[in-house]
Amino acid sequence: MTLAKSSNLPNLAGMTHAQLREFFLAMDEKPFRATQVLKWIHQRGVTNFQAMTDISKPLRDKLDAQAEIRLPTIVQNFESEDGSHKWIIEVASGSRVEMVFIPESGRGTLCISSQAGCTLDCSFCATGKQGFNSNLTVAEIIGQLWWANKNLGGFDDVLERPVSNVVMMGMGEPLLNFEPVMNALNLMMDDCAYGLSKRKVTISTSGVVPAIDKLKDYTDASIAISLHAPNDALRSEIVPINKKYPIAMLLNSVKGYMASLNDKRVPVIEYTLIAGVNDHRQHARELAQLLRDFPCKINIIPFNPFSLSDYRRPSNTSITNFRQILQQAGYTVTVRTTRADDIGAACGQLVGNVDDQTKRSSRHLARKGVDVIAASSDVQVQADSV
Ligand code: SAH
Ligand code: SF4
């Protein structure tokens, strides 16, 4: 199915309920048409106006002439031995980004990308290493959820949808593509679209403080903070945005967002554990101390290796020790099990194919002695998938 042909017509796949209402009003049509079209696209997976049988034929013809429903194209599909799926989608800029579906008992989580590449260059992240090409549009972000439903049978039975949870933990920094991500979140949680609960939609951020400060005016989704270090000196080394927005400023901003939610949710602190970098017992103690007045859950993500990184995954003993210190200090701690690394889809391994606009990827490759011309093509995907 070719869904990505581009045109200048308004793309209804990327409009929120409110924007669709405006669209129909501007066409001199009744605003309830927005609800009908929203349900056709996002609850039944229909992209052809003529198949929308509760809409009159003249209006269907008018929509055919004046609008389109355009979603990104799926170009590759991988299935892991553990049942996870990774799909590579092509977006308008020509870049390829990845999304991952992870089935678990009682839930199915879809990990969605927000950007082709990332500008932030965290030292342990494959996406960061490949530089940045473009922000995804709303249709390209929500299109990932649409495609997961399409491919996994989610449009056959609205009550039995395979994707129960969405995490914005794919490629890119969601808060640096603010408005499209907010609109896509709105669609995910709209009862006439995907109807996901605010508890089951999570934005993961490396700490873009001004965006967190304004988040409450746009969404009430759950939030995860990629902390990865217990002090500014170490965090600035591995998460460069920390130089601009240090830990105290970040935690304060997150506190403000949590207060606005007015419920019992707490943020998740993500901590990618890297052997010899941030996995010492002293780091765990320092982290316990740092977060003492900050209600949260802690999620340890053992580092997932990729070809351009010299970092190593810590031993199981270090992971257990780190977790125990935090648990003994009273924290709820989970250790993320590695899923889908046989298809290069584990956390931090996502690379797609990004025509880097920042030239960062060639610098990293040159440092590793890799032929830059060869590595800037599909070869990069292969290298990280094995
Ligand atoms: N930009 C956002 C969301 C995408 S990254 C963020 O940084 O939060 C999603 C998660 O994967 C983050 O917690 C990130 O730190 C983690 N991650 C990145 N690279 C990783 C790697 N190689 N191994 C394990 N986790 C990694
Ligand atoms: Fe970007 Fe997140 Fe990767 Fe950092 S960890 S480079 S913010 S995608």
Side-chain angles (χ1 to χ4, degrees), residues 118 120 122 124-127 168-174 204-207 224-228 270-273 301-306 336 346-349:
C118 183
L120 296 181
C122 299
F124 47 82
C125 174
T127 304
M168 299 299 305
M169 291 184 189
M171 295 167 66
E173 168 50 54
S204 175
T205 178
S206 56
I225 306 301
S226 290
L227 194 67
H228 311 307
E270 294 171 284
Y271 196 102
T272 297
L273 208 59
I301 316 170
F303 173 70
N304 290 310
F306 57 96
R336 195 173 299 171
C347 283
Q349 289 181 327

PDB file of all heavy atoms in Angstrom, residues 118 120 122 124-127 168-174 204-207 224-228 270-273 301-306 336 346-349, ligand 1:
ATOM      1  N   CYS A 118      18.921  12.755  16.150  1.00  0.00           N
ATOM      2  CA  CYS A 118      18.745  13.568  17.362  1.00  0.00           C
ATOM      3  C   CYS A 118      19.892  14.565  17.417  1.00  0.00           C
ATOM      4  O   CYS A 118      21.027  14.222  17.082  1.00  0.00           O
ATOM      5  CB  CYS A 118      18.752  12.676  18.606  1.00  0.00           C
ATOM      6  SG  CYS A 118      18.449  13.587  20.139  1.00  0.00           S
ATOM      7  N   LEU A 120      21.091  15.843  20.139  1.00  0.00           N
ATOM      8  CA  LEU A 120      21.673  15.978  21.478  1.00  0.00           C
ATOM      9  C   LEU A 120      22.939  15.163  21.759  1.00  0.00           C
ATOM     10  O   LEU A 120      23.661  15.457  22.686  1.00  0.00           O
ATOM     11  CB  LEU A 120      20.605  15.716  22.543  1.00  0.00           C
ATOM     12  CG  LEU A 120      19.472  16.763  22.516  1.00  0.00           C
ATOM     13  CD1 LEU A 120      18.448  16.478  23.599  1.00  0.00           C
ATOM     14  CD2 LEU A 120      20.019  18.183  22.685  1.00  0.00           C
ATOM     15  N   CYS A 122      23.945  12.210  23.137  1.00  0.00           N
ATOM     16  CA  CYS A 122      24.315  11.541  24.396  1.00  0.00           C
ATOM     17  C   CYS A 122      25.346  10.464  24.047  1.00  0.00           C
ATOM     18  O   CYS A 122      25.240   9.812  23.005  1.00  0.00           O
ATOM     19  CB  CYS A 122      23.096  10.917  25.066  1.00  0.00           C
ATOM     20  SG  CYS A 122      21.850  12.158  25.487  1.00  0.00           S
ATOM     21  N   PHE A 124      26.083   7.526  24.844  1.00  0.00           N
ATOM     22  CA  PHE A 124      25.809   6.077  24.825  1.00  0.00           C
ATOM     23  C   PHE A 124      24.705   5.713  23.837  1.00  0.00           C
ATOM     24  O   PHE A 124      24.207   4.588  23.852  1.00  0.00           O
ATOM     25  CB  PHE A 124      25.349   5.655  26.244  1.00  0.00           C
ATOM     26  CG  PHE A 124      24.306   6.597  26.778  1.00  0.00           C
ATOM     27  CD1 PHE A 124      22.981   6.457  26.401  1.00  0.00           C
ATOM     28  CD2 PHE A 124      24.664   7.652  27.604  1.00  0.00           C
ATOM     29  CE1 PHE A 124      22.022   7.341  26.839  1.00  0.00           C
ATOM     30  CE2 PHE A 124      23.713   8.552  28.052  1.00  0.00           C
ATOM     31  CZ  PHE A 124      22.390   8.396  27.668  1.00  0.00           C
ATOM     32  N   CYS A 125      24.297   6.655  22.983  1.00  0.00           N
ATOM     33  CA  CYS A 125      23.078   6.448  22.196  1.00  0.00           C
ATOM     34  C   CYS A 125      23.378   6.374  20.692  1.00  0.00           C
ATOM     35  O   CYS A 125      23.976   7.289  20.130  1.00  0.00           O
ATOM     36  CB  CYS A 125      22.095   7.585  22.496  1.00  0.00           C
ATOM     37  SG  CYS A 125      20.629   7.525  21.459  1.00  0.00           S
ATOM     38  N   ALA A 126      22.935   5.300  20.062  1.00  0.00           N
ATOM     39  CA  ALA A 126      23.193   5.107  18.629  1.00  0.00           C
ATOM     40  C   ALA A 126      22.483   6.180  17.801  1.00  0.00           C
ATOM     41  O   ALA A 126      23.037   6.683  16.810  1.00  0.00           O
ATOM     42  CB  ALA A 126      22.713   3.715  18.209  1.00  0.00           C
ATOM     43  N   THR A 127      21.276   6.557  18.208  1.00  0.00           N
ATOM     44  CA  THR A 127      20.547   7.590  17.460  1.00  0.00           C
ATOM     45  C   THR A 127      21.335   8.896  17.478  1.00  0.00           C
ATOM     46  O   THR A 127      21.520   9.555  16.449  1.00  0.00           O
ATOM     47  CB  THR A 127      19.146   7.836  18.077  1.00  0.00           C
ATOM     48  OG1 THR A 127      18.431   6.615  18.119  1.00  0.00           O
ATOM     49  CG2 THR A 127      18.371   8.870  17.287  1.00  0.00           C
ATOM     50  N   MET A 168       7.378   7.368  24.184  1.00  0.00           N
ATOM     51  CA  MET A 168       8.118   8.195  23.208  1.00  0.00           C
ATOM     52  C   MET A 168       9.605   7.989  23.493  1.00  0.00           C
ATOM     53  O   MET A 168      10.286   8.880  23.993  1.00  0.00           O
ATOM     54  CB  MET A 168       7.734   9.677  23.356  1.00  0.00           C
ATOM     55  CG  MET A 168       6.277   9.997  23.107  1.00  0.00           C
ATOM     56  SD  MET A 168       5.654   9.613  21.460  1.00  0.00           S
ATOM     57  CE  MET A 168       6.753  10.488  20.400  1.00  0.00           C
ATOM     58  N   MET A 169      10.063   6.770  23.232  1.00  0.00           N
ATOM     59  CA  MET A 169      11.450   6.404  23.555  1.00  0.00           C
ATOM     60  C   MET A 169      12.177   5.877  22.332  1.00  0.00           C
ATOM     61  O   MET A 169      13.188   5.183  22.443  1.00  0.00           O
ATOM     62  CB  MET A 169      11.484   5.330  24.651  1.00  0.00           C
ATOM     63  CG  MET A 169      11.038   5.813  25.996  1.00  0.00           C
ATOM     64  SD  MET A 169      11.218   4.534  27.240  1.00  0.00           S
ATOM     65  CE  MET A 169      10.362   5.319  28.613  1.00  0.00           C
ATOM     66  N   GLY A 170      11.639   6.180  21.150  1.00  0.00           N
ATOM     67  CA  GLY A 170      12.317   5.756  19.931  1.00  0.00           C
ATOM     68  C   GLY A 170      13.397   6.766  19.571  1.00  0.00           C
ATOM     69  O   GLY A 170      14.049   7.346  20.443  1.00  0.00           O
ATOM     70  N   MET A 171      13.560   7.016  18.296  1.00  0.00           N
ATOM     71  CA  MET A 171      14.608   7.943  17.868  1.00  0.00           C
ATOM     72  C   MET A 171      14.174   9.389  18.145  1.00  0.00           C
ATOM     73  O   MET A 171      13.038   9.767  17.892  1.00  0.00           O
ATOM     74  CB  MET A 171      14.881   7.757  16.373  1.00  0.00           C
ATOM     75  CG  MET A 171      15.466   6.385  16.055  1.00  0.00           C
ATOM     76  SD  MET A 171      15.460   5.998  14.299  1.00  0.00           S
ATOM     77  CE  MET A 171      16.610   7.209  13.658  1.00  0.00           C
ATOM     78  N   GLY A 172      15.118  10.179  18.639  1.00  0.00           N
ATOM     79  CA  GLY A 172      14.864  11.606  18.778  1.00  0.00           C
ATOM     80  C   GLY A 172      14.469  12.057  20.168  1.00  0.00           C
ATOM     81  O   GLY A 172      14.159  11.254  21.049  1.00  0.00           O
ATOM     82  N   GLU A 173      14.526  13.357  20.370  1.00  0.00           N
ATOM     83  CA  GLU A 173      14.134  13.975  21.643  1.00  0.00           C
ATOM     84  C   GLU A 173      12.742  14.587  21.445  1.00  0.00           C
ATOM     85  O   GLU A 173      12.601  15.615  20.763  1.00  0.00           O
ATOM     86  CB  GLU A 173      15.175  15.035  22.039  1.00  0.00           C
ATOM     87  CG  GLU A 173      14.760  15.944  23.173  1.00  0.00           C
ATOM     88  CD  GLU A 173      14.221  15.233  24.408  1.00  0.00           C
ATOM     89  OE1 GLU A 173      14.890  14.352  24.960  1.00  0.00           O
ATOM     90  OE2 GLU A 173      13.092  15.577  24.831  1.00  0.00           O
ATOM     91  N   PRO A 174      11.709  13.954  22.019  1.00  0.00           N
ATOM     92  CA  PRO A 174      10.335  14.402  21.737  1.00  0.00           C
ATOM     93  C   PRO A 174      10.096  15.882  22.070  1.00  0.00           C
ATOM     94  O   PRO A 174       9.352  16.560  21.359  1.00  0.00           O
ATOM     95  CB  PRO A 174       9.458  13.496  22.601  1.00  0.00           C
ATOM     96  CG  PRO A 174      10.365  12.669  23.426  1.00  0.00           C
ATOM     97  CD  PRO A 174      11.748  12.771  22.881  1.00  0.00           C
ATOM     98  N   SER A 204       9.462  10.428  27.091  1.00  0.00           N
ATOM     99  CA  SER A 204      10.787  10.292  27.693  1.00  0.00           C
ATOM    100  C   SER A 204      11.630  11.464  27.218  1.00  0.00           C
ATOM    101  O   SER A 204      11.698  11.745  26.021  1.00  0.00           O
ATOM    102  CB  SER A 204      11.411   8.975  27.237  1.00  0.00           C
ATOM    103  OG  SER A 204      12.736   8.866  27.718  1.00  0.00           O
ATOM    104  N   THR A 205      12.274  12.145  28.158  1.00  0.00           N
ATOM    105  CA  THR A 205      13.088  13.304  27.763  1.00  0.00           C
ATOM    106  C   THR A 205      14.439  13.300  28.459  1.00  0.00           C
ATOM    107  O   THR A 205      14.562  12.883  29.614  1.00  0.00           O
ATOM    108  CB  THR A 205      12.363  14.633  28.044  1.00  0.00           C
ATOM    109  OG1 THR A 205      13.238  15.715  27.668  1.00  0.00           O
ATOM    110  CG2 THR A 205      11.977  14.795  29.508  1.00  0.00           C
ATOM    111  N   SER A 206      15.428  13.823  27.745  1.00  0.00           N
ATOM    112  CA  SER A 206      16.749  13.949  28.342  1.00  0.00           C
ATOM    113  C   SER A 206      16.848  15.241  29.155  1.00  0.00           C
ATOM    114  O   SER A 206      17.881  15.518  29.732  1.00  0.00           O
ATOM    115  CB  SER A 206      17.795  13.954  27.236  1.00  0.00           C
ATOM    116  OG  SER A 206      17.483  14.989  26.352  1.00  0.00           O
ATOM    117  N   GLY A 207      15.754  16.027  29.166  1.00  0.00           N
ATOM    118  CA  GLY A 207      15.732  17.174  30.075  1.00  0.00           C
ATOM    119  C   GLY A 207      15.737  18.539  29.413  1.00  0.00           C
ATOM    120  O   GLY A 207      16.568  19.395  29.736  1.00  0.00           O
ATOM    121  N   ALA A 224       9.007  10.332  31.714  1.00  0.00           N
ATOM    122  CA  ALA A 224      10.219   9.626  32.157  1.00  0.00           C
ATOM    123  C   ALA A 224      11.405  10.553  31.887  1.00  0.00           C
ATOM    124  O   ALA A 224      11.460  11.215  30.844  1.00  0.00           O
ATOM    125  CB  ALA A 224      10.392   8.325  31.381  1.00  0.00           C
ATOM    126  N   ILE A 225      12.313  10.602  32.836  1.00  0.00           N
ATOM    127  CA  ILE A 225      13.465  11.504  32.716  1.00  0.00           C
ATOM    128  C   ILE A 225      14.731  10.680  32.556  1.00  0.00           C
ATOM    129  O   ILE A 225      15.035   9.820  33.389  1.00  0.00           O
ATOM    130  CB  ILE A 225      13.602  12.373  34.012  1.00  0.00           C
ATOM    131  CG1 ILE A 225      12.289  13.100  34.313  1.00  0.00           C
ATOM    132  CG2 ILE A 225      14.758  13.346  33.900  1.00  0.00           C
ATOM    133  CD1 ILE A 225      11.820  14.023  33.226  1.00  0.00           C
ATOM    134  N   SER A 226      15.467  10.952  31.503  1.00  0.00           N
ATOM    135  CA  SER A 226      16.714  10.223  31.257  1.00  0.00           C
ATOM    136  C   SER A 226      17.820  10.891  32.053  1.00  0.00           C
ATOM    137  O   SER A 226      18.459  11.818  31.581  1.00  0.00           O
ATOM    138  CB  SER A 226      17.031  10.262  29.758  1.00  0.00           C
ATOM    139  OG  SER A 226      16.101   9.466  29.075  1.00  0.00           O
ATOM    140  N   LEU A 227      18.047  10.398  33.266  1.00  0.00           N
ATOM    141  CA  LEU A 227      19.007  11.066  34.156  1.00  0.00           C
ATOM    142  C   LEU A 227      20.431  10.506  33.946  1.00  0.00           C
ATOM    143  O   LEU A 227      21.349  11.262  33.657  1.00  0.00           O
ATOM    144  CB  LEU A 227      18.556  10.907  35.607  1.00  0.00           C
ATOM    145  CG  LEU A 227      19.249  11.820  36.595  1.00  0.00           C
ATOM    146  CD1 LEU A 227      18.883  13.282  36.383  1.00  0.00           C
ATOM    147  CD2 LEU A 227      18.932  11.409  38.032  1.00  0.00           C
ATOM    148  N   HIS A 228      20.590   9.235  34.167  1.00  0.00           N
ATOM    149  CA  HIS A 228      21.826   8.499  33.840  1.00  0.00           C
ATOM    150  C   HIS A 228      23.061   8.848  34.673  1.00  0.00           C
ATOM    151  O   HIS A 228      24.132   8.264  34.447  1.00  0.00           O
ATOM    152  CB  HIS A 228      22.217   8.646  32.355  1.00  0.00           C
ATOM    153  CG  HIS A 228      21.096   8.395  31.404  1.00  0.00           C
ATOM    154  ND1 HIS A 228      20.329   7.265  31.432  1.00  0.00           N
ATOM    155  CD2 HIS A 228      20.597   9.153  30.393  1.00  0.00           C
ATOM    156  CE1 HIS A 228      19.420   7.335  30.470  1.00  0.00           C
ATOM    157  NE2 HIS A 228      19.545   8.471  29.837  1.00  0.00           N
ATOM    158  N   GLU A 270      15.076   7.306  34.411  1.00  0.00           N
ATOM    159  CA  GLU A 270      15.773   6.278  33.636  1.00  0.00           C
ATOM    160  C   GLU A 270      17.273   6.426  33.853  1.00  0.00           C
ATOM    161  O   GLU A 270      17.806   7.547  33.868  1.00  0.00           O
ATOM    162  CB  GLU A 270      15.453   6.442  32.149  1.00  0.00           C
ATOM    163  CG  GLU A 270      13.998   6.159  31.855  1.00  0.00           C
ATOM    164  CD  GLU A 270      13.648   6.544  30.434  1.00  0.00           C
ATOM    165  OE1 GLU A 270      13.508   7.739  30.159  1.00  0.00           O
ATOM    166  OE2 GLU A 270      13.547   5.638  29.609  1.00  0.00           O
ATOM    167  N   TYR A 271      17.892   5.287  34.037  1.00  0.00           N
ATOM    168  CA  TYR A 271      19.325   5.305  34.307  1.00  0.00           C
ATOM    169  C   TYR A 271      19.978   4.207  33.479  1.00  0.00           C
ATOM    170  O   TYR A 271      19.867   3.017  33.790  1.00  0.00           O
ATOM    171  CB  TYR A 271      19.552   5.084  35.808  1.00  0.00           C
ATOM    172  CG  TYR A 271      20.933   5.453  36.312  1.00  0.00           C
ATOM    173  CD1 TYR A 271      21.144   6.641  37.002  1.00  0.00           C
ATOM    174  CD2 TYR A 271      22.030   4.605  36.110  1.00  0.00           C
ATOM    175  CE1 TYR A 271      22.408   6.978  37.473  1.00  0.00           C
ATOM    176  CE2 TYR A 271      23.289   4.936  36.580  1.00  0.00           C
ATOM    177  CZ  TYR A 271      23.470   6.125  37.263  1.00  0.00           C
ATOM    178  OH  TYR A 271      24.730   6.459  37.747  1.00  0.00           O
ATOM    179  N   THR A 272      20.582   4.599  32.379  1.00  0.00           N
ATOM    180  CA  THR A 272      21.298   3.633  31.543  1.00  0.00           C
ATOM    181  C   THR A 272      22.615   3.316  32.233  1.00  0.00           C
ATOM    182  O   THR A 272      23.441   4.205  32.467  1.00  0.00           O
ATOM    183  CB  THR A 272      21.549   4.225  30.130  1.00  0.00           C
ATOM    184  OG1 THR A 272      20.285   4.464  29.525  1.00  0.00           O
ATOM    185  CG2 THR A 272      22.345   3.264  29.261  1.00  0.00           C
ATOM    186  N   LEU A 273      22.771   2.055  32.593  1.00  0.00           N
ATOM    187  CA  LEU A 273      23.921   1.652  33.397  1.00  0.00           C
ATOM    188  C   LEU A 273      25.055   1.190  32.476  1.00  0.00           C
ATOM    189  O   LEU A 273      24.895   0.240  31.709  1.00  0.00           O
ATOM    190  CB  LEU A 273      23.479   0.501  34.315  1.00  0.00           C
ATOM    191  CG  LEU A 273      24.200   0.323  35.628  1.00  0.00           C
ATOM    192  CD1 LEU A 273      24.108   1.561  36.506  1.00  0.00           C
ATOM    193  CD2 LEU A 273      23.630  -0.881  36.376  1.00  0.00           C
ATOM    194  N   ILE A 301      18.419   0.750  32.944  1.00  0.00           N
ATOM    195  CA  ILE A 301      18.493   0.152  31.601  1.00  0.00           C
ATOM    196  C   ILE A 301      19.946  -0.268  31.369  1.00  0.00           C
ATOM    197  O   ILE A 301      20.800   0.595  31.138  1.00  0.00           O
ATOM    198  CB  ILE A 301      18.103   1.174  30.500  1.00  0.00           C
ATOM    199  CG1 ILE A 301      16.861   1.977  30.904  1.00  0.00           C
ATOM    200  CG2 ILE A 301      17.919   0.482  29.161  1.00  0.00           C
ATOM    201  CD1 ILE A 301      16.581   3.173  29.970  1.00  0.00           C
ATOM    202  N   PRO A 302      20.245  -1.563  31.478  1.00  0.00           N
ATOM    203  CA  PRO A 302      21.634  -1.958  31.191  1.00  0.00           C
ATOM    204  C   PRO A 302      21.995  -1.528  29.770  1.00  0.00           C
ATOM    205  O   PRO A 302      21.205  -1.703  28.843  1.00  0.00           O
ATOM    206  CB  PRO A 302      21.604  -3.485  31.330  1.00  0.00           C
ATOM    207  CG  PRO A 302      20.393  -3.763  32.181  1.00  0.00           C
ATOM    208  CD  PRO A 302      19.398  -2.690  31.836  1.00  0.00           C
ATOM    209  N   PHE A 303      23.158  -0.941  29.618  1.00  0.00           N
ATOM    210  CA  PHE A 303      23.595  -0.409  28.319  1.00  0.00           C
ATOM    211  C   PHE A 303      23.488  -1.471  27.224  1.00  0.00           C
ATOM    212  O   PHE A 303      23.961  -2.601  27.395  1.00  0.00           O
ATOM    213  CB  PHE A 303      25.048   0.088  28.433  1.00  0.00           C
ATOM    214  CG  PHE A 303      25.634   0.484  27.113  1.00  0.00           C
ATOM    215  CD1 PHE A 303      25.201   1.617  26.453  1.00  0.00           C
ATOM    216  CD2 PHE A 303      26.612  -0.310  26.501  1.00  0.00           C
ATOM    217  CE1 PHE A 303      25.728   1.980  25.215  1.00  0.00           C
ATOM    218  CE2 PHE A 303      27.147   0.042  25.271  1.00  0.00           C
ATOM    219  CZ  PHE A 303      26.695   1.184  24.626  1.00  0.00           C
ATOM    220  N   ASN A 304      22.892  -1.105  26.115  1.00  0.00           N
ATOM    221  CA  ASN A 304      22.830  -1.988  24.947  1.00  0.00           C
ATOM    222  C   ASN A 304      23.912  -1.574  23.963  1.00  0.00           C
ATOM    223  O   ASN A 304      23.917  -0.443  23.485  1.00  0.00           O
ATOM    224  CB  ASN A 304      21.457  -1.887  24.273  1.00  0.00           C
ATOM    225  CG  ASN A 304      20.380  -2.508  25.131  1.00  0.00           C
ATOM    226  OD1 ASN A 304      20.531  -3.632  25.594  1.00  0.00           O
ATOM    227  ND2 ASN A 304      19.311  -1.777  25.379  1.00  0.00           N
ATOM    228  N   PRO A 305      24.837  -2.489  23.671  1.00  0.00           N
ATOM    229  CA  PRO A 305      25.967  -2.129  22.812  1.00  0.00           C
ATOM    230  C   PRO A 305      25.558  -1.888  21.361  1.00  0.00           C
ATOM    231  O   PRO A 305      24.548  -2.428  20.902  1.00  0.00           O
ATOM    232  CB  PRO A 305      26.872  -3.359  22.869  1.00  0.00           C
ATOM    233  CG  PRO A 305      26.247  -4.319  23.802  1.00  0.00           C
ATOM    234  CD  PRO A 305      24.863  -3.873  24.113  1.00  0.00           C
ATOM    235  N   PHE A 306      26.316  -1.090  20.656  1.00  0.00           N
ATOM    236  CA  PHE A 306      26.148  -0.910  19.213  1.00  0.00           C
ATOM    237  C   PHE A 306      27.527  -0.646  18.626  1.00  0.00           C
ATOM    238  O   PHE A 306      28.476  -0.312  19.351  1.00  0.00           O
ATOM    239  CB  PHE A 306      25.139   0.204  18.886  1.00  0.00           C
ATOM    240  CG  PHE A 306      25.471   1.547  19.483  1.00  0.00           C
ATOM    241  CD1 PHE A 306      26.139   2.503  18.746  1.00  0.00           C
ATOM    242  CD2 PHE A 306      25.117   1.847  20.791  1.00  0.00           C
ATOM    243  CE1 PHE A 306      26.451   3.747  19.294  1.00  0.00           C
ATOM    244  CE2 PHE A 306      25.414   3.093  21.352  1.00  0.00           C
ATOM    245  CZ  PHE A 306      26.084   4.033  20.600  1.00  0.00           C
ATOM    246  N   ARG A 336      15.234  -2.891  33.278  1.00  0.00           N
ATOM    247  CA  ARG A 336      14.597  -3.178  31.995  1.00  0.00           C
ATOM    248  C   ARG A 336      15.248  -4.403  31.351  1.00  0.00           C
ATOM    249  O   ARG A 336      16.466  -4.444  31.199  1.00  0.00           O
ATOM    250  CB  ARG A 336      14.697  -1.976  31.056  1.00  0.00           C
ATOM    251  CG  ARG A 336      13.740  -2.109  29.889  1.00  0.00           C
ATOM    252  CD  ARG A 336      13.707  -0.863  29.056  1.00  0.00           C
ATOM    253  NE  ARG A 336      13.269   0.323  29.784  1.00  0.00           N
ATOM    254  CZ  ARG A 336      13.332   1.554  29.278  1.00  0.00           C
ATOM    255  NH1 ARG A 336      13.813   1.752  28.072  1.00  0.00           N
ATOM    256  NH2 ARG A 336      12.916   2.583  29.989  1.00  0.00           N
ATOM    257  N   ALA A 346      16.714  -2.901  20.551  1.00  0.00           N
ATOM    258  CA  ALA A 346      16.736  -2.628  21.987  1.00  0.00           C
ATOM    259  C   ALA A 346      16.946  -1.130  22.211  1.00  0.00           C
ATOM    260  O   ALA A 346      17.349  -0.410  21.293  1.00  0.00           O
ATOM    261  CB  ALA A 346      17.849  -3.433  22.639  1.00  0.00           C
ATOM    262  N   CYS A 347      16.677  -0.668  23.446  1.00  0.00           N
ATOM    263  CA  CYS A 347      16.816   0.761  23.762  1.00  0.00           C
ATOM    264  C   CYS A 347      18.160   1.287  23.309  1.00  0.00           C
ATOM    265  O   CYS A 347      19.198   0.698  23.624  1.00  0.00           O
ATOM    266  CB  CYS A 347      16.808   0.969  25.271  1.00  0.00           C
ATOM    267  SG  CYS A 347      15.231   0.863  25.982  1.00  0.00           S
ATOM    268  N   GLY A 348      18.140   2.392  22.595  1.00  0.00           N
ATOM    269  CA  GLY A 348      19.391   3.040  22.227  1.00  0.00           C
ATOM    270  C   GLY A 348      20.063   2.455  20.996  1.00  0.00           C
ATOM    271  O   GLY A 348      21.073   2.956  20.541  1.00  0.00           O
ATOM    272  N   GLN A 349      19.484   1.380  20.431  1.00  0.00           N
ATOM    273  CA  GLN A 349      20.114   0.797  19.231  1.00  0.00           C
ATOM    274  C   GLN A 349      19.472   1.306  17.946  1.00  0.00           C
ATOM    275  O   GLN A 349      19.882   0.931  16.855  1.00  0.00           O
ATOM    276  CB  GLN A 349      19.990  -0.738  19.260  1.00  0.00           C
ATOM    277  CG  GLN A 349      20.861  -1.402  20.301  1.00  0.00           C
ATOM    278  CD  GLN A 349      20.731  -2.920  20.271  1.00  0.00           C
ATOM    279  OE1 GLN A 349      19.670  -3.451  19.983  1.00  0.00           O
ATOM    280  NE2 GLN A 349      21.811  -3.603  20.582  1.00  0.00           N
TER     281      GLN A 349
HETATM  282  N1  SAH B   1      15.480  11.361  23.665  1.00  0.00           N
HETATM  283  C1  SAH B   1      14.685  10.757  24.660  1.00  0.00           C
HETATM  284  C2  SAH B   1      13.928   9.538  24.208  1.00  0.00           C
HETATM  285  C3  SAH B   1      14.670   8.567  23.344  1.00  0.00           C
HETATM  286  S1  SAH B   1      15.975   7.672  24.123  1.00  0.00           S
HETATM  287  C4  SAH B   1      15.503  10.478  25.896  1.00  0.00           C
HETATM  288  O1  SAH B   1      16.718  10.592  25.841  1.00  0.00           O
HETATM  289  O2  SAH B   1      14.899  10.199  26.915  1.00  0.00           O
HETATM  290  C5  SAH B   1      15.053   6.481  25.094  1.00  0.00           C
HETATM  291  C6  SAH B   1      15.830   5.856  26.243  1.00  0.00           C
HETATM  292  O3  SAH B   1      16.834   4.957  25.772  1.00  0.00           O
HETATM  293  C7  SAH B   1      16.529   6.891  27.071  1.00  0.00           C
HETATM  294  O4  SAH B   1      16.372   6.690  28.435  1.00  0.00           O
HETATM  295  C8  SAH B   1      17.952   6.690  26.658  1.00  0.00           C
HETATM  296  O5  SAH B   1      18.806   7.182  27.582  1.00  0.00           O
HETATM  297  C9  SAH B   1      18.021   5.189  26.494  1.00  0.00           C
HETATM  298  N2  SAH B   1      19.196   4.754  25.744  1.00  0.00           N
HETATM  299  C10 SAH B   1      19.820   5.400  24.755  1.00  0.00           C
HETATM  300  N3  SAH B   1      20.875   4.696  24.307  1.00  0.00           N
HETATM  301  C11 SAH B   1      20.914   3.557  25.027  1.00  0.00           C
HETATM  302  C12 SAH B   1      21.756   2.402  25.009  1.00  0.00           C
HETATM  303  N4  SAH B   1      22.758   2.277  24.139  1.00  0.00           N
HETATM  304  N5  SAH B   1      21.503   1.418  25.876  1.00  0.00           N
HETATM  305  C13 SAH B   1      20.473   1.518  26.748  1.00  0.00           C
HETATM  306  N6  SAH B   1      19.634   2.574  26.801  1.00  0.00           N
HETATM  307  C14 SAH B   1      19.854   3.581  25.950  1.00  0.00           C
END
